[in-house]
């Protein structure tokens, strides 16, 4: 299938060819014609599937073919995203896809001067890519209105809800014209998203490119069983000895990310932490160094890493499993991007077993476990709750609780 068969105009197709986009990805094949036809869309698609182009290309084409009247606001498309990093990435993609047109886009996100942003907004842009909180600030300050927005996109809607943007989103919706086309993209399509989408979408076309809650194809997942104190040496071994070019490493906490990055540096690996406590300038610089290959290992938290688009990333490592099972899918989706193969490695000690059991139940499949040569676990250690002992141990805990209570009663 070609881009031109999706009713995209010749200039845009030629521009995509110059960018090296030969064929549309599955989400693009399905979404582009539906968006061009003006229908609302509810799409389940992870980062790395080409989802940005799936909404950006038809929106750009629509905007090129219409122009605002003189007295109307210039902004006709609004893309809501959960994080600054995703805003930057989506904005960058839009600017690349619209390079050959007059269409302009602008980012609106928190953590930077509100005044400078307000000036940029006043200058106007056809497309605004925004995080909900800062957008609302500008709307309340009457720096802008959304009166002429005809295209609305929610990108990573599940993460927006996770991050508590629900009220802000509802507030933004009140300020949008009722006559509009709305597209909702979410990595996971679950009951919560279906329920939320009922408020936003009218008779949407539901598009899913892979099974629900499954990870993108072409990702090899491995779980290495090892002792907790061997995680760092094993990680450094993998990066140094297995000649990995670069790796994205996930930690549950900001402090954990700092600690792992510091330990890796000590072991001679050029590593850096990436989390929300770092200033925007530091985050941007770290990301640029990682993209250029200067930094070999980026140790990130889930929120910070959401939506990161790094080309040629072959390895993702979970030094700990995430708090939320959905995040496992997001994490490993950072590799195996746009059809390239990738490896997602989880370092698992006995303490992590209960978390793995929950994750496997969520994924509805087992993750293959193996030993890493030279880092075999000490088998005399016992898991707090293993698959086999889970029921028995829960019963035992209940019994102990009842016993303690009856003692108290005596
Ligand atoms: P996304 O899922 O939007 O984050 O896109 C993931 C990566 O795939 C980005 O680096 C895009 O530039 C790239 N990409 C998107 N669509 C295509 C395509 N049809 N052919 C080749 N690369 C693509």
């Amino acid at each position: 299938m070609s881009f031109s068969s999706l009713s995209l105009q010749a200039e845009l197709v030629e521009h995509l060819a110059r960018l090296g986009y030969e064929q549309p990805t599955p989400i693009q094949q399905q979404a582009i014609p539906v968006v061009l036809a003006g229908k609302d869309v509810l799409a389940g698609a992870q980062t790395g599937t080409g989802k940005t182009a799936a909404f950006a290309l038809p929106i750009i084409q629509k905007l090129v073919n219409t122009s605002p009247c003189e007295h109307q606001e210039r902004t006709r498309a609004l893309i809501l995203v959960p994080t600054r990093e995703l805003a930057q990435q989506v904005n960058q993609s839009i600017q690349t896809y619209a390079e050959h047109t007059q269409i302009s886009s602008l980012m609106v996100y928190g953590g930077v001067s509100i005044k400078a942003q307000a000036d940029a907004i006043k200058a106007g842009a056809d497309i605004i890519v925004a995080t909900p909180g800062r957008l609302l600030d500008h709307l309340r300050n009457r720096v802008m209105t959304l009166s002429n927005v005809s295209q609305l996109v929610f990108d990573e809607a599940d993460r927006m809800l996770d991050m508590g943007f629900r009220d802000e989103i509802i507030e933004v919706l009140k300020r949008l014209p009722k006559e509009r086309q709305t597209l909702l993209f979410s990595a996971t399509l679950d009951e919560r998203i279906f329920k939320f989408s009922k408020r936003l979408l009218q008779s949407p076309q539901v598009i899913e490119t892979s099974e629900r809650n499954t990870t993108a194809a072409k990702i090899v997942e491995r779980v290495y069983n090892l002792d907790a104190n061997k995680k760092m040496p094993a990680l450094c071994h993998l990066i140094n000895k297995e000649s990995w070019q670069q790796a994205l490493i996930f930690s549950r906490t900001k402090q954990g990310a700092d600690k792992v990055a510091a330990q890796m540096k000590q072991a001679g690996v050029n590593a850096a932490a990436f989390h929300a406590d770092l200033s925007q300038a530091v985050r941007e610089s770290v990301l640029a160094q990682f993209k250029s290959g200067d930094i070999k290992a980026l140790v990130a938290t889930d929120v910070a890493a959401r939506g990161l688009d790094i080309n040629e990333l072959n390895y993702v490592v979970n030094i700990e499993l995430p708090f939320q099972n959905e995040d496992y899918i997001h994490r490993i989706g950072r590799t195996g991007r746009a059809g390239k193969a990738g490896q997602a490695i989880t370092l698992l000690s006995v303490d992590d077993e209960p978390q793995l059991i929950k994750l496997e139940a969520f994924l509805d499949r087992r993750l293959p476990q193996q030993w890493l040569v030279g880092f075999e676990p000490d088998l005399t250690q016992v898991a707090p709750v293993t698959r086999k002992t889970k029921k028995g141990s829960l019963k035992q805990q209940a019994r102990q609780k009842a016993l303690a209570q009856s003692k108290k009663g005596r």
Side-chain angles (χ1 to χ4, degrees), residues 94-107:
I94 289 174
Q95 290 184 346
T96 306
Y97 300 146
E99 243 161 25
H100 64 297
T101 72
Q102 301 293 315
I103 300 296
S104 63
S105 71
L106 184 77
M107 283 184 288

Side-chain angles (χ1 to χ4, degrees), residues 94-269:
I94 289 174
Q95 290 184 346
T96 306
Y97 300 146
E99 243 161 25
H100 64 297
T101 72
Q102 301 293 315
I103 300 296
S104 63
S105 71
L106 184 77
M107 283 184 288
V108 170
Y109 55 72
V112 291
S113 153
I114 194 160
K115 170 84 179 57
Q117 230 170 37
D119 292 342
I121 292 170
K122 280 180 197 149
D126 298 297
I127 303 175
I128 286 189
V129 184
T131 52
R134 179 54 73 89
L135 178 70
L136 254 187
D137 291 340
H138 289 300
L139 291 169
R140 286 178 182 143
N141 294 344
R142 297 178 199 279
V143 170
M144 61 189 294
T145 79
L146 301 174
S147 59
N148 201 24
V149 169
S150 55
Q151 312 278 316
L152 171 67
V153 181
F154 291 89
D155 194 6
E156 303 202 352
D158 48 352
R159 176 49 58 129
M160 271 193 259
L161 293 183
D162 289 345
M163 290 174 71
F165 280 135
R166 190 189 186 83
D167 294 345
E168 278 94 341
I169 290 171
I170 291 168
E171 187 75 39
V172 169
L173 282 174
K174 286 186 195 150
R175 296 161 191 260
L176 280 160
K178 293 229 157 19
E179 279 289 305
R180 60 163 200 262
Q181 181 180 21
T182 308
L183 319 173
L184 190 149
F185 286 76
S186 176
T188 40
L189 286 188
D190 52 20
E191 276 317 299
R192 185 178 63 143
I193 289 292
F194 280 119
K195 220 169 130 195
F196 184 62
S197 73
K198 286 205 183 113
R199 293 182 88 122
L200 317 171
L201 307 174
Q202 284 180 0
S203 329
Q205 177 102 14
V206 180
I207 298 174
E208 276 187 273
T209 45
S210 54
E211 293 270 295
R212 267 181 224 179
N213 294 345
T214 57
T215 47
K218 290 220 177 193
I219 299 175
V220 179
E221 293 164 87
R222 292 211 174 110
V223 176
Y224 287 130
N225 299 107
L226 32 73
D227 297 332
N229 62 359
K230 293 281 166 57
K231 283 189 178 181
M232 281 310 299
L235 180 61
C236 293
H237 165 87
L238 286 169
I239 291 183
N240 284 330
K241 298 275 156 32
E242 306 270 318
S243 60
W244 286 7
Q245 274 169 3
Q246 278 193 310
L248 178 59
I249 295 146
F250 281 96
S251 156
R252 281 183 168 205
T253 62
K254 297 168 202 164
Q255 296 83 343
D258 283 334
K259 204 169 136 193
V260 171
Q263 286 177 332
M264 290 183 86
K265 269 198 240 165
Q266 255 179 9
V269 179

Side-chain angles (χ1 to χ4, degrees), residues 3 21 23-25 28 47-52 97 309 311 337-338:
F3 276 106
Y21 289 18
Q23 279 193 339
T25 64
Q28 291 163 3
T47 305
T49 52
K51 70 179 166 68
T52 315
Y97 300 146
D309 179 22
N311 281 335
R337 302 168 68 70

